[in-house]
Coordinates of all heavy atoms in Angstrom, one line a residue:
G1 N -70.5 13.5 -12.9 CA -71.2 14.7 -12.8 C -70.3 15.8 -12.6 O -69.2 15.9 -12.4
E2 N -70.9 16.9 -12.6 CA -70.2 18.2 -12.5 C -69.9 18.5 -10.8 O -70.8 18.2 -10.1 CB -71.0 19.5 -12.8 CG -71.1 19.4 -14.4 CD -70.0 19.9 -15.1 OE1 -69.2 20.7 -14.7 OE2 -69.7 19.2 -16.0
P3 N -68.7 19.0 -10.5 CA -68.6 19.3 -9.1 C -69.5 20.3 -8.6 O -70.1 21.1 -9.3 CB -67.2 19.9 -9.0 CG -66.4 19.6 -10.4 CD -67.7 19.3 -11.4
R4 N -69.9 20.1 -7.3 CA -71.0 21.0 -6.7 C -70.8 20.9 -5.2 O -70.1 20.0 -4.7 CB -72.4 20.5 -7.1 CG -72.8 19.1 -6.4 CD -74.3 18.8 -6.8 NE -74.6 17.6 -6.3 CZ -74.9 17.2 -4.9 NH1 -74.8 18.2 -4.1 NH2 -75.2 16.0 -4.6
P5 N -71.3 21.9 -4.5 CA -71.3 21.8 -3.0 C -71.9 20.6 -2.5 O -72.9 20.2 -3.0 CB -71.9 23.1 -2.6 CG -71.9 24.0 -3.8 CD -72.0 23.0 -5.0
V6 N -71.5 20.1 -1.3 CA -72.1 19.1 -0.5 C -73.1 19.5 0.5 O -72.6 20.6 1.2 CB -71.0 18.2 0.0 CG1 -71.7 17.1 0.9 CG2 -70.0 17.7 -0.8
T7 N -74.2 19.2 0.5 CA -75.2 19.6 1.6 C -75.5 18.5 2.6 O -75.1 17.3 2.5 CB -76.5 20.1 0.9 OG1 -77.2 18.8 0.4 CG2 -76.2 21.0 -0.3
G8 N -76.2 18.8 3.7 CA -76.6 17.8 4.6 C -77.5 16.7 4.1 O -77.5 15.7 4.6
E9 N -78.1 17.1 3.0 CA -79.0 16.1 2.4 C -78.3 15.0 1.7 O -78.7 14.0 1.3 CB -80.0 16.7 1.4 CG -81.0 17.7 2.1 CD -81.8 18.4 1.1 OE1 -81.6 18.4 -0.1 OE2 -82.6 19.2 1.7
D10 N -76.8 15.3 1.3 CA -76.2 14.3 0.6 C -75.6 13.2 1.6 O -74.7 12.4 1.2 CB -74.9 15.0 0.1 CG -75.4 15.9 -1.1 OD1 -76.2 15.5 -2.0 OD2 -74.9 17.0 -1.2
S11 N -75.7 13.3 2.9 CA -75.2 12.5 3.8 C -75.3 10.9 3.4 O -76.4 10.4 3.1 CB -75.8 12.5 5.2 OG -75.2 11.7 6.1
G12 N -74.1 10.2 3.3 CA -74.0 8.7 2.8 C -73.9 8.6 1.4 O -74.0 7.5 0.9
E13 N -74.0 9.7 0.5 CA -74.0 9.6 -0.8 C -72.6 10.1 -1.4 O -72.1 10.9 -0.8 CB -75.1 10.4 -1.5 CG -76.6 10.1 -1.0 CD -77.0 8.7 -1.6 OE1 -76.7 8.4 -2.6 OE2 -77.6 8.1 -0.7
W14 N -72.4 9.7 -2.5 CA -71.0 10.2 -3.2 C -71.5 11.5 -4.0 O -72.5 11.4 -4.6 CB -70.5 9.2 -4.2 CG -70.1 8.0 -3.6 CD1 -70.5 6.7 -3.5 CD2 -68.6 7.9 -3.0 NE1 -69.6 5.9 -2.8 CE2 -68.5 6.6 -2.4 CE3 -67.6 8.8 -2.6 CZ2 -67.4 6.2 -1.8 CZ3 -66.5 8.3 -2.0 CH2 -66.4 7.1 -1.5
V15 N -70.7 12.5 -3.8 CA -71.0 13.7 -4.3 C -69.7 14.2 -5.1 O -68.6 14.2 -4.7 CB -71.3 14.9 -3.3 CG1 -71.5 16.2 -4.0 CG2 -72.5 14.4 -2.5
P16 N -69.7 14.6 -6.4 CA -68.7 15.1 -7.1 C -68.1 16.5 -6.6 O -68.9 17.5 -6.5 CB -69.2 15.2 -8.6 CG -70.5 15.3 -8.5 CD -71.1 14.6 -7.3
I17 N -67.0 16.6 -6.3 CA -66.4 17.7 -5.6 C -65.1 18.3 -6.4 O -64.7 19.4 -6.1 CB -66.0 17.6 -4.1 CG1 -64.9 16.6 -3.9 CG2 -67.2 17.3 -3.3 CD1 -64.3 16.6 -2.5
L18 N -64.8 17.5 -7.3 CA -63.5 17.9 -8.1 C -63.5 17.3 -9.4 O -64.0 16.1 -9.5 CB -62.3 17.4 -7.3 CG -60.9 17.7 -8.0 CD1 -60.5 19.1 -8.0 CD2 -59.9 16.8 -7.2
A19 N -63.2 18.0 -10.6 CA -63.0 17.4 -11.8 C -61.5 17.8 -12.3 O -61.1 18.9 -12.0 CB -64.0 18.1 -12.8
M20 N -60.9 16.7 -12.9 CA -59.5 16.9 -13.2 C -59.4 16.3 -14.7 O -59.9 15.3 -15.0 CB -58.6 16.0 -12.3 CG -58.6 16.7 -10.9 SD -57.5 15.7 -9.8 CE -57.3 14.0 -10.4
E21 N -58.4 16.9 -15.4 CA -58.1 16.2 -16.7 C -56.7 15.7 -16.5 O -55.8 16.5 -16.1 CB -58.1 17.5 -17.8 CG -57.7 16.8 -19.2 CD -57.8 17.9 -20.2 OE1 -58.7 18.8 -20.1 OE2 -57.2 17.8 -21.2
C22 N -56.6 14.5 -16.8 CA -55.3 13.7 -16.5 C -54.4 13.5 -17.6 O -53.3 13.1 -17.4 CB -55.6 12.4 -15.6 SG -56.5 13.0 -14.1
R23 N -54.9 13.5 -18.8 CA -54.2 13.1 -20.1 C -53.2 12.0 -19.9 O -52.0 12.3 -19.8 CB -53.6 14.5 -20.5 CG -54.5 15.4 -21.0 CD -54.0 16.7 -21.6 NE -55.0 17.5 -22.1 CZ -55.2 18.1 -23.2 NH1 -54.4 17.7 -24.2 NH2 -56.2 18.9 -23.4
G24 N -53.6 10.9 -19.9 CA -52.8 9.7 -19.8 C -52.2 9.2 -18.5 O -51.7 8.3 -18.2
M25 N -52.7 10.0 -17.3 CA -52.3 9.6 -15.9 C -53.6 9.0 -15.4 O -54.7 9.4 -15.7 CB -51.9 10.8 -15.2 CG -50.4 11.3 -15.7 SD -49.9 12.8 -14.9 CE -50.6 12.9 -13.4
E26 N -53.5 8.1 -14.5 CA -54.6 7.5 -13.8 C -54.5 7.8 -12.3 O -53.7 7.0 -11.6 CB -54.7 6.2 -14.2 CG -56.0 5.5 -13.5 CD -56.2 3.9 -14.0 OE1 -55.7 3.7 -15.1 OE2 -57.0 3.3 -13.4
P27 N -55.1 8.7 -11.7 CA -55.0 8.9 -10.3 C -55.6 7.7 -9.5 O -56.6 7.0 -10.1 CB -55.8 10.2 -10.1 CG -56.7 10.3 -11.2 CD -56.1 9.7 -12.3
Y28 N -55.1 7.4 -8.4 CA -55.7 6.1 -7.7 C -56.0 6.5 -6.2 O -56.6 5.7 -5.4 CB -54.6 5.0 -7.8 CG -53.3 5.5 -7.2 CD1 -53.1 5.0 -5.9 CD2 -52.3 5.9 -7.9 CE1 -51.7 5.4 -5.3 CE2 -51.0 6.3 -7.4 CZ -50.8 5.9 -6.1 OH -49.6 6.1 -5.5
A29 N -55.6 7.7 -5.6 CA -55.9 8.0 -4.3 C -55.9 9.6 -4.2 O -55.2 10.3 -4.8 CB -55.0 7.5 -3.3
F30 N -56.8 10.0 -3.3 CA -56.9 11.5 -2.9 C -56.7 11.4 -1.4 O -57.3 10.8 -0.7 CB -58.2 11.9 -3.3 CG -58.4 13.4 -2.9 CD1 -57.8 14.5 -3.6 CD2 -59.3 13.7 -1.8 CE1 -57.9 15.7 -3.3 CE2 -59.4 14.9 -1.5 CZ -58.8 16.0 -2.1
H31 N -55.8 12.3 -1.0 CA -55.5 12.5 0.4 C -55.5 14.1 0.8 O -54.7 14.8 0.4 CB -54.1 12.0 0.9 CG -53.8 10.6 0.5 ND1 -54.4 9.5 1.3 CD2 -53.2 10.0 -0.5 CE1 -54.1 8.4 0.8 NE2 -53.3 8.7 -0.4
P32 N -56.6 14.4 1.4 CA -56.7 15.8 1.8 C -55.6 16.2 2.8 O -55.2 15.4 3.7 CB -58.1 15.8 2.6 CG -58.8 14.6 2.6 CD -57.8 13.7 2.0
L33 N -55.0 17.3 2.5 CA -53.8 17.6 3.4 C -53.9 18.8 4.3 O -53.1 19.0 5.2 CB -52.5 18.0 2.3 CG -52.2 16.9 1.3 CD1 -51.1 17.6 0.4 CD2 -51.6 15.9 2.0
G34 N -54.9 19.6 4.2 CA -55.2 20.5 5.1 C -56.4 21.4 4.8 O -57.4 21.1 5.0
N35 N -56.1 22.5 4.4 CA -57.2 23.6 4.2 C -57.7 23.6 2.9 O -57.9 24.9 2.3 CB -56.7 25.0 4.6 CG -56.3 25.0 6.1 OD1 -57.1 24.4 6.9 ND2 -55.2 25.7 6.4
E36 N -57.9 22.6 2.1 CA -58.5 22.7 0.8 C -60.0 22.9 0.8 O -60.7 23.1 -0.2 CB -58.2 21.3 0.0 CG -56.9 21.0 -0.3 CD -56.3 20.0 0.8 OE1 -57.1 19.7 1.7 OE2 -55.1 19.6 0.6
F37 N -60.6 22.7 2.0 CA -62.1 22.6 2.0 C -62.6 23.9 2.8 O -61.9 24.4 3.6 CB -62.7 21.4 2.6 CG -62.4 20.2 1.8 CD1 -61.1 19.5 2.0 CD2 -63.2 19.7 0.7 CE1 -60.9 18.3 1.1 CE2 -62.9 18.8 -0.1 CZ -61.7 18.0 0.2
A38 N -63.9 24.1 2.5 CA -64.6 25.1 3.4 C -65.9 24.5 3.9 O -66.4 23.6 3.1 CB -64.9 26.4 2.7
A39 N -66.6 25.0 5.0 CA -67.8 24.5 5.4 C -68.7 25.5 5.7 O -68.2 26.6 6.1 CB -67.6 23.5 6.6
E40 N -70.0 25.3 5.5 CA -71.0 26.3 5.8 C -72.2 25.7 6.8 O -72.6 24.6 6.5 CB -71.7 26.8 4.6 CG -72.7 28.0 4.7 CD -73.3 28.5 3.6 OE1 -72.8 28.1 2.4 OE2 -74.3 29.3 3.7
S41 N -72.4 26.3 8.0 CA -73.4 25.9 8.8 C -74.8 26.0 8.2 O -75.0 26.8 7.4 CB -73.2 26.6 10.2 OG -73.8 27.8 10.1
E42 N -75.7 25.2 8.9 CA -77.1 25.6 8.4 C -77.6 27.0 8.6 O -78.5 27.4 8.0 CB -77.9 24.6 9.1 CG -77.7 23.1 8.8 CD -78.6 22.1 9.5 OE1 -79.4 22.5 10.6 OE2 -78.6 21.0 9.2
G43 N -76.8 27.7 9.5 CA -77.2 29.1 9.8 C -76.6 30.0 8.8 O -76.8 31.3 8.9
G44 N -75.8 29.5 7.9 CA -75.1 30.3 7.0 C -73.7 30.9 7.4 O -73.0 31.6 6.6
T45 N -73.1 30.4 8.4 CA -71.8 31.0 8.8 C -70.6 30.0 7.9 O -70.9 28.8 7.9 CB -71.5 30.7 10.2 OG1 -72.4 31.5 11.0 CG2 -70.1 31.1 10.7
V46 N -69.8 30.6 7.3 CA -68.8 29.9 6.5 C -67.6 29.8 7.3 O -67.0 30.8 7.8 CB -68.5 30.7 5.1 CG1 -67.5 30.1 4.4 CG2 -69.9 30.9 4.4
F47 N -67.1 28.6 7.3 CA -65.8 28.3 7.9 C -64.8 28.0 6.8 O -64.9 26.9 6.1 CB -65.9 27.0 8.7 CG -66.8 27.0 9.8 CD1 -68.2 27.0 9.8 CD2 -66.2 27.5 11.2 CE1 -69.0 27.1 11.0 CE2 -67.1 27.7 12.3 CZ -68.6 27.5 12.1
A48 N -64.0 29.0 6.3 CA -63.3 29.0 5.2 C -61.8 28.6 5.5 O -61.0 28.3 4.5 CB -63.3 30.4 4.5
E49 N -61.5 28.7 6.7 CA -60.0 28.3 7.1 C -60.1 27.2 8.2 O -61.1 27.2 9.1 CB -59.4 29.5 7.5 CG -59.0 30.5 6.5 CD -58.2 31.7 6.9 OE1 -57.7 31.5 8.0 OE2 -58.3 32.7 6.2
G50 N -59.1 26.3 8.1 CA -59.0 25.4 9.2 C -59.9 24.2 9.1 O -60.0 23.4 10.0
V51 N -60.5 24.1 7.9 CA -61.4 22.8 7.7 C -60.3 21.7 7.3 O -60.0 21.6 6.0 CB -62.6 23.0 6.7 CG1 -63.3 21.8 6.4 CG2 -63.4 24.1 7.2
D52 N -59.8 21.0 8.0 CA -58.8 19.9 7.8 C -59.4 18.6 7.9 O -59.8 18.1 9.0 CB -57.7 20.0 8.8 CG -56.5 19.1 8.7 OD1 -56.6 18.3 7.7 OD2 -55.5 19.2 9.4
L53 N -59.5 18.0 6.7 CA -60.1 16.6 6.6 C -59.0 15.5 6.4 O -59.3 14.4 6.0 CB -61.0 16.5 5.3 CG -62.2 17.4 5.5 CD1 -63.1 17.4 4.2 CD2 -63.1 17.1 6.7
S54 N -57.7 16.0 6.8 CA -56.8 14.9 6.7 C -57.0 13.7 7.5 O -56.4 12.5 7.1 CB -55.4 15.4 6.8 OG -55.3 16.0 8.3
E55 N -57.7 13.8 8.6 CA -58.0 12.6 9.5 C -59.3 12.1 9.1 O -59.9 11.2 9.8 CB -57.9 13.1 10.8 CG -56.6 13.5 11.3 CD -55.5 12.4 11.3 OE1 -55.8 11.2 11.6 OE2 -54.4 12.7 11.0
G56 N -60.0 12.6 8.1 CA -61.4 12.1 7.9 C -62.6 12.8 8.6 O -63.8 12.7 8.2
D57 N -62.3 13.6 9.6 CA -63.3 14.2 10.4 C -62.9 15.6 10.7 O -61.7 15.9 10.8 CB -63.6 13.5 11.6 CG -64.1 12.1 11.5 OD1 -65.0 11.9 10.6 OD2 -63.5 11.2 12.2
W58 N -63.8 16.6 10.9 CA -63.6 17.9 11.2 C -64.9 18.3 12.0 O -65.9 18.0 11.7 CB -63.4 18.8 10.0 CG -63.4 20.3 10.4 CD1 -62.4 21.0 10.8 CD2 -64.5 21.1 10.3 NE1 -62.8 22.2 11.0 CE2 -64.1 22.4 10.6 CE3 -65.9 21.1 9.7 CZ2 -64.8 23.6 10.7 CZ3 -66.7 22.0 9.9 CH2 -66.2 23.4 10.3
A59 N -64.7 19.1 13.0 CA -66.0 19.8 13.6 C -65.6 21.2 14.3 O -64.4 21.5 14.5 CB -66.3 18.9 14.8
D60 N -66.5 22.0 14.3 CA -66.4 23.3 15.0 C -67.8 23.8 15.6 O -68.6 23.0 15.5 CB -65.9 24.2 13.9 CG -65.1 25.4 14.5 OD1 -65.4 25.9 15.6 OD2 -64.1 26.0 13.9
Y61 N -67.8 24.9 15.9 CA -69.2 25.4 16.4 C -69.5 26.7 16.1 O -68.6 27.7 15.9 CB -69.1 25.4 18.1 CG -70.4 25.6 18.6 CD1 -71.4 24.6 18.8 CD2 -70.7 26.9 19.2 CE1 -72.5 24.8 19.3 CE2 -72.0 27.2 19.8 CZ -72.8 26.1 19.9 OH -74.2 26.3 20.4
D62 N -70.7 26.9 15.4 CA -71.3 28.2 14.9 C -71.9 28.8 16.1 O -73.0 28.8 16.5 CB -72.2 27.9 14.0 CG -72.8 29.3 13.3 OD1 -72.6 30.3 13.8 OD2 -73.6 29.1 12.3
E63 N -71.0 29.8 16.7 CA -71.6 30.4 17.9 C -72.8 31.4 17.6 O -73.6 31.6 18.4 CB -70.4 31.2 18.7 CG -69.4 30.3 19.3 CD -68.3 31.1 19.9 OE1 -68.3 32.3 20.1 OE2 -67.3 30.4 20.3
E64 N -72.6 32.0 16.5 CA -73.6 33.0 16.0 C -75.0 32.4 16.0 O -76.0 33.0 16.3 CB -73.3 33.7 14.8 CG -74.2 34.8 14.2 CD -73.8 35.4 12.9 OE1 -72.5 35.6 12.8 OE2 -74.4 35.5 12.1
N65 N -75.1 31.2 15.5 CA -76.5 30.4 15.3 C -76.6 29.4 16.3 O -77.5 28.7 16.3 CB -76.5 29.7 13.9 CG -76.5 31.1 12.9 OD1 -77.5 31.6 12.7 ND2 -75.4 31.1 12.2
D66 N -75.6 29.2 17.3 CA -75.7 28.2 18.3 C -75.9 26.7 17.7 O -77.0 26.0 18.3 CB -77.0 28.5 19.3 CG -76.8 27.8 20.6 OD1 -75.7 27.5 21.0 OD2 -77.9 27.6 21.1
I67 N -75.1 26.3 16.8 CA -75.1 25.1 16.3 C -73.8 24.4 15.9 O -72.9 25.1 15.6 CB -75.9 24.8 15.0 CG1 -75.6 25.9 14.0 CG2 -77.5 25.0 15.3 CD1 -76.2 25.8 12.6
S68 N -73.7 23.1 16.1 CA -72.4 22.5 15.9 C -72.4 22.2 14.3 O -73.4 22.1 13.6 CB -72.2 21.2 16.6 OG -73.2 20.3 16.2
V69 N -71.3 22.2 13.8 CA -70.9 22.0 12.4 C -69.9 21.0 12.2 O -68.9 21.0 13.0 CB -70.5 23.3 11.6 CG1 -70.2 23.1 10.2 CG2 -71.3 24.5 12.0
S70 N -70.0 19.9 11.4 CA -69.1 18.8 11.2 C -69.1 18.1 9.9 O -70.1 18.2 9.2 CB -69.3 17.8 12.4 OG -70.5 17.1 12.2
V71 N -67.9 17.6 9.6 CA -67.9 16.6 8.5 C -67.3 15.5 9.0 O -66.2 15.5 9.6 CB -66.8 17.2 7.3 CG1 -66.6 16.3 6.2 CG2 -67.3 18.6 6.8
T72 N -67.9 14.4 8.8 CA -67.5 13.1 9.3 C -67.3 11.9 8.4 O -68.0 12.0 7.4 CB -68.3 12.5 10.5 OG1 -69.6 12.3 10.0 CG2 -68.6 13.5 11.7
E73 N -66.4 11.1 8.5 CA -66.3 10.0 7.7 C -65.9 10.3 6.3 O -66.5 9.7 5.3 CB -67.3 9.0 7.8 CG -67.6 8.4 9.3 CD -68.6 7.4 9.4 OE1 -69.0 6.8 8.5 OE2 -69.1 7.4 10.5
F74 N -65.1 11.3 6.0 CA -64.9 11.8 4.6 C -64.1 10.6 3.9 O -63.1 10.1 4.3 CB -64.1 13.2 4.7 CG -63.6 13.5 3.3 CD1 -64.5 14.2 2.5 CD2 -62.3 13.2 2.7 CE1 -64.1 14.6 1.3 CE2 -62.0 13.6 1.5 CZ -62.9 14.3 0.7
E75 N -64.6 10.4 2.8 CA -63.9 9.4 1.7 C -63.9 10.1 0.5 O -64.7 10.8 0.1 CB -64.7 8.1 1.8 CG -64.9 7.4 3.1 CD -65.6 6.1 3.0 OE1 -65.0 5.1 2.5 OE2 -66.8 6.1 3.3
A76 N -62.9 9.5 -0.4 CA -62.9 9.9 -1.7 C -62.6 8.7 -2.7 O -62.2 7.6 -2.3 CB -61.6 10.9 -2.1
K77 N -63.1 8.8 -4.0 CA -62.9 7.9 -4.9 C -62.8 8.6 -6.3 O -63.4 9.6 -6.5 CB -64.0 6.8 -5.0 CG -65.3 7.3 -5.4 CD -66.4 6.1 -5.5 CE -67.7 6.5 -5.9 NZ -68.7 5.4 -5.9
F78 N -62.3 8.0 -7.2 CA -62.1 8.5 -8.6 C -63.0 7.8 -9.5 O -63.1 6.5 -9.5 CB -60.7 8.3 -9.2 CG -59.7 9.3 -8.5 CD1 -58.9 8.9 -7.5 CD2 -59.7 10.7 -8.9 CE1 -58.0 9.8 -6.9 CE2 -58.7 11.6 -8.2 CZ -57.9 11.0 -7.1
I79 N -63.6 8.5 -10.4 CA -64.6 7.9 -11.4 C -64.1 8.4 -12.8 O -64.0 9.7 -13.0 CB -66.0 8.2 -11.2 CG1 -66.5 7.6 -10.0 CG2 -66.8 7.7 -12.3 CD1 -67.9 8.0 -9.4
S80 N -63.7 7.6 -13.7 CA -63.4 8.2 -15.1 C -64.7 8.2 -15.8 O -65.7 7.6 -15.9 CB -62.6 6.9 -15.8 OG -61.5 6.8 -15.2
L81 N -64.7 9.5 -16.5 CA -65.8 9.9 -17.4 C -65.6 9.8 -18.7 O -64.4 9.9 -19.4 CB -66.3 11.4 -17.0 CG -66.6 11.6 -15.6 CD1 -67.0 13.1 -15.3 CD2 -67.8 10.8 -15.2

């Protein structure tokens, strides 16, 4: 499918977040290295920097809306289209 934002409703589901044209190459692993991602709280606060998924988890706190924000157990896989 087409890349799209991941929402809370996607918990536990695979969601396409990236599309690549590889032309003869076959990727086999994806390793987040640092600040490739952004997160948005349910209150609408965007965390555009510091969302580091290199360890598979990230958490912060949305002080404006008094709610925690997290990404846990991040995993990646490749699917050929």
Side-chain angles (χ1 to χ4, degrees):
E2 294 288 318
R4 66 173 179 82
V6 179
T7 68
E9 295 170 0
D10 294 317
S11 182
E13 301 293 324
W14 290 104
V15 177
I17 61 169
L18 175 69
M20 301 183 324
E21 184 174 328
C22 296
R23 295 190 183 232
M25 294 176 27
E26 187 173 335
Y28 60 90
F30 176 76
H31 301 283
L33 299 175
N35 293 318
E36 297 97 355
F37 296 94
E40 182 176 353
S41 73
E42 291 178 355
T45 299
V46 175
F47 296 83
E49 295 181 17
V51 180
D52 182 354
L53 296 177
S54 61
E55 298 294 323
D57 298 313
W58 168 86
D60 207 326
Y61 190 76
D62 177 355
E63 293 180 10
E64 184 176 316
N65 294 291
D66 194 31
I67 52 177
S68 62
V69 183
S70 65
V71 177
T72 59
E73 299 178 26
F74 177 81
E75 296 179 82
K77 69 178 180 178
F78 288 98
I79 299 173
S80 296
L81 302 177

